[in-house]
Amino acid sequence: MIPRIHPPEHRPAWQEQLATAVRSVDELLQLLQIDPAAAKIRPLQSDFPLRVPHGFIQRMVKGDSRDPLLLQVLPVAQEAEEIAGFTCDPLDELDAMPVPGLLHKYPGRALLTVTGACAIHCRYCFRRHFPYSDANPAPGHWQPALGSLAQHPDISELILSGGDPLTLTDNRLHSLTGQLAELTHLRTLRIHTRLPVVLPARIDSGLLSWIKAQTLKLVFVVHCNHPDEIDHHVVAAFGKLTAAGVTLLNQSVLLRDINDSAATLASLSERLFTAGVLPYYLHQLDRVQGAAHFEVGVRRAREIVDELRATLPGYLVPRLVQEIPGEQGKTAL
């Protein structure tokens, strides 16, 4: 049964937190007691605006303009620099979209961009220029994508992406997955999400009811880049998901001045594993326009992973991978 839509005055806590996310650079820096002039910060006005929940801001160190969580979300002037090799569609995704929102690049699985909304705007996002208005199915109109999936019985796994799929209401999730359940060749539903980390209140009773109603095997690939992102609220959210039977994996993006050290990544892997999440992928940066200042060279990336292998058990070392357009899977580095 699809639950009733919450009237505005009774919105879940996560929606309230999402609605009050900080959208002003001035407000963000004031909350962190950072003087942009003294810190030599040159904010950027762009069509990819700031958005960050208060709970995530509270994990940042006040007065530290180089805080690794702040650097992930603060729009800076370097983003306006045009760097050779950095493009608006670094993975050529628009060429792999047979119908709006459905990406079919790899054998046996497909990806559906269910929304353009995110709880946080990460400045290195490879879809920061993605034309969501053209590529997303309109609310409730999944038929073209579902029809295409029905014609491919070889697809056993569907990946929900975005944006962030968990910004959808419980009602919309119920509606979509109810229709997916009719595709008998689907066995696994993989959800790529940052919300358990940046907005852990999203893991509430409504979402857990949706999880327990699923007939498909659920895998959540969460996105956490730095150990400071994990506080007790995040640990509790992971615990609820694990208790509900969700398999939890993590993927990180290797980011200059944020997590480009073996010590930082080792701490991240250990904290994730303690919280019930298995390190999965460490991504080389997708070369999206505006994110060149985050890039770590492949040689240095390999050195970092070698250092991790020397200090961690193998199951805590994420696979270093790169997405190369046209390849039928991620390329291990």
Side-chain angles (χ1 to χ4, degrees):
M1 178 181 295
I2 297 176
R4 291 192 310 153
I5 296 174
H6 295 276
E9 65 271 20
H10 297 297
R11 288 191 299 186
W14 71 271
Q15 288 186 319
E16 293 292 344
Q17 293 179 25
L18 191 58
T20 59
V22 172
R23 299 169 183 265
S24 160
V25 171
D26 289 341
E27 181 184 359
L28 174 61
L29 296 180
Q30 287 172 7
L31 288 169
L32 294 172
Q33 301 173 7
I34 294 173
D35 178 353
K40 298 182 180 179
I41 293 172
R42 291 186 297 147
L44 174 74
Q45 298 295 325
S46 77
D47 55 1
F48 185 56
L50 173 80
R51 187 178 198 180
V52 54
H54 282 273
F56 195 75
I57 296 170
Q58 290 169 3
R59 298 170 226 169
M60 300 177 187
V61 177
K62 288 185 177 180
D64 184 1
S65 63
R66 303 301 296 170
D67 179 89
L69 277 59
L70 173 63
L71 294 180
Q72 295 181 54
V73 300
L74 183 67
V76 294
Q78 288 168 290
E79 295 179 32
E81 299 174 2
E82 293 191 8
I83 307 296
F86 285 77
T87 67
C88 290
D89 185 14
L91 305 184
D92 292 343
E93 289 193 314
L94 297 180
D95 293 336
M97 190 177 296
V99 297
L102 186 66
L103 297 172
H104 192 182
K105 297 190 293 183
Y106 305 147
R109 56 203 186 276
L111 181 148
L112 186 62
T113 58
V114 295
T115 178
C118 282
I120 191 167
H121 287 175
C122 303
R123 308 313 301 177
Y124 52 86
C125 178
F126 71 98
R127 291 199 182 119
R128 57 180 293 169
H129 305 290
F130 194 75
Y132 287 106
S133 58
D134 299 326
N136 264 9
H141 296 94
W142 310 105
Q143 279 65 37
L146 293 170
S148 181
L149 287 169
Q151 295 171 16
H152 290 86
D154 58 305
I155 295 176
S156 61
E157 179 180 44
L158 182 66
I159 302 164
L160 299 188
S161 184
D164 196 306
L166 294 190
T167 60
L168 296 181
T169 64
D170 298 335
N171 286 5
R172 288 200 66 201
L173 286 171
H174 272 283
S175 175
L176 173 59
T177 54
Q179 295 174 76
L180 291 176
E182 297 176 5
L183 302 176
T184 56
H185 54 279
L186 290 182
R187 295 194 298 272
T188 303
L189 185 63
R190 191 197 322 173
I191 295 179
H192 283 235
T193 177
R194 191 132 159 78
L195 262 72
V197 176
V198 303
L199 196 69
R202 180 64 183 100
I203 314 305
D204 60 9
S205 59
L207 185 72
L208 293 172
S209 294
W210 170 77
I211 288 172
K212 292 173 183 176
Q214 298 313 300
T215 57
L216 297 174
K217 172 66 177 175
L218 275 182
V219 177
F220 278 25
V221 180
V222 299
H223 178 179
C224 187
N225 295 317
H226 193 278
D228 289 353
E229 296 178 32
I230 303 173
D231 66 3
H232 68 282
H233 296 294
V234 175
V235 172
F238 288 157
K240 291 176 185 177
L241 291 170
T242 301
V246 177
T247 297
L248 293 179
L249 308 173
N250 182 70
Q251 63 178 16
S252 305
V253 179
L254 187 59
L255 301 166
R256 184 193 301 174
D257 297 330
I258 293 171
N259 61 6
D260 56 338
S261 77
T264 298
L265 290 173
S267 176
L268 174 60
S269 286
E270 289 168 342
R271 294 193 69 176
L272 285 166
F273 187 69
T274 299
V277 185
L278 192 66
Y280 177 43
Y281 278 148
L282 177 63
H283 279 270
Q284 271 296 100
L285 180 79
D286 293 317
R287 307 190 90 197
V288 64
Q289 183 177 314
H293 58 292
F294 289 115
E295 188 171 48
V296 177
V298 171
R299 180 177 179 179
R300 176 57 187 148
R302 288 173 171 151
E303 290 173 351
I304 291 170
V305 173
D306 284 343
E307 292 175 42
L308 286 176
R309 290 196 183 103
T311 58
L312 292 175
Y315 60 85
L316 291 187
V317 180
R319 294 175 59 199
L320 178 64
V321 297
Q322 185 170 22
E323 185 101 13
I324 298 175
E327 295 294 324
Q328 291 193 338
K330 291 179 172 61
T331 300
L333 298 179

